[in-house]
Amino acid sequence: MIGRIAGTLLEKNPPQLLIDCQGVGYEVDVPMSTFYNLPPLGEKVALLTHLAIREDAHVLFGFGSAEERATFRQLIKISGVGSRTALAILSGMSVADLSQAITLQEAGRLTRIPGIGKKTAERLLLELKGKLGADLFSASAAMAAGDHSGDILNALLALGYSDKEATIAMKSVPAGSGVSEGIKLALKALSKG
């Protein structure tokens, strides 16, 4: 019904925003991945949206990218995963990380997200297999062929870093780096942050 919203950003209270559109203020809930990329207050903002209609409320969810919104819509189709849980999942890990976890069937990465237990994580892996992680299969095969970024990322996760921290650290690792060299570079980037 409401597919996109554009206006002036009036308030930022995570995870909720207030966006003024021609004199009407819309409350929009966003995942933290979108929240971190917002402009300052008073600036123009445009978000793709999903309107959830319940008995007691109409809630508008906003997303910075089409893939985030599509993933949110896939998540809320799963039994036991409501809009708040889907928002928590997208706040806890990027769409690429979620796709990778589903492709590699890594329930442990999902259970690190607050509100996601073992049963929910297993249901997510089962229901989203082939729907969300399929496009990443070729990327993970390429990783296995010569790029060690998957091994480096898994090493950082094993050391206790969050998905977000590990993903940010991976940006400082040049493509084609060896595993030990990549881990050293990623840890160096994490120590600066």
Side-chain angles (χ1 to χ4, degrees):
M1 188 170 151
I2 299 174
R4 182 177 177 275
I5 189 167
T8 305
L9 186 59
L10 295 180
E11 291 179 20
K12 292 197 274 189
N13 299 312
Q16 196 170 71
L17 311 175
L18 183 62
I19 300 174
D20 176 50
C21 300
Q22 307 283 322
V24 178
Y26 290 92
E27 291 179 344
V28 183
D29 288 1
V30 297
M32 295 312 290
S33 52
T34 297
F35 191 86
Y36 293 134
N37 294 314
L38 290 171
L41 293 178
E43 297 287 320
K44 296 286 182 195
V45 66
L47 299 172
L48 296 172
T49 60
H50 174 86
L51 178 63
I53 300 175
R54 301 188 316 235
E55 281 183 34
D56 60 340
H58 291 211
V59 183
L60 195 58
F61 295 94
F63 306 94
S65 69
E67 68 177 0
E68 267 188 346
R69 180 173 67 177
T71 302
F72 177 84
R73 288 176 171 169
Q74 281 286 353
L75 289 168
I76 61 174
K77 288 179 187 175
I78 298 170
S79 173
V81 177
S83 51
R84 294 288 169 204
T85 304
L87 207 62
I89 292 168
L90 289 174
S91 292
M93 61 189 342
S94 70
V95 173
D97 290 338
L98 180 60
S99 295
Q100 184 181 37
I102 287 160
T103 301
L104 302 175
Q105 293 291 293
E106 296 177 331
R109 287 176 71 180
L110 297 174
T111 56
R112 291 188 197 130
I113 299 168
I116 304 295
K118 186 175 181 178
K119 285 184 180 180
T120 305
E122 289 171 357
R123 189 178 317 117
L124 287 168
L125 292 178
L126 180 68
E127 301 255 352
L128 294 175
K129 188 175 185 177
K131 294 178 184 171
L132 193 59
D135 58 337
L136 211 82
F137 184 73
S138 57
S140 62
M143 244 189 252
D147 184 9
H148 299 289
S149 58
D151 294 330
I152 298 166
L153 182 66
N154 286 334
L156 294 173
L157 294 172
L159 289 170
Y161 290 100
S162 71
D163 285 306
K164 184 176 180 185
E165 291 169 326
T167 304
I168 291 170
M170 288 300 295
K171 291 178 183 173
S172 67
V173 178
S177 295
V179 177
S180 60
E181 181 63 23
I183 293 170
K184 286 178 190 174
L185 290 169
L187 289 172
K188 190 174 182 180
L190 284 164
S191 68
K192 291 178 182 176

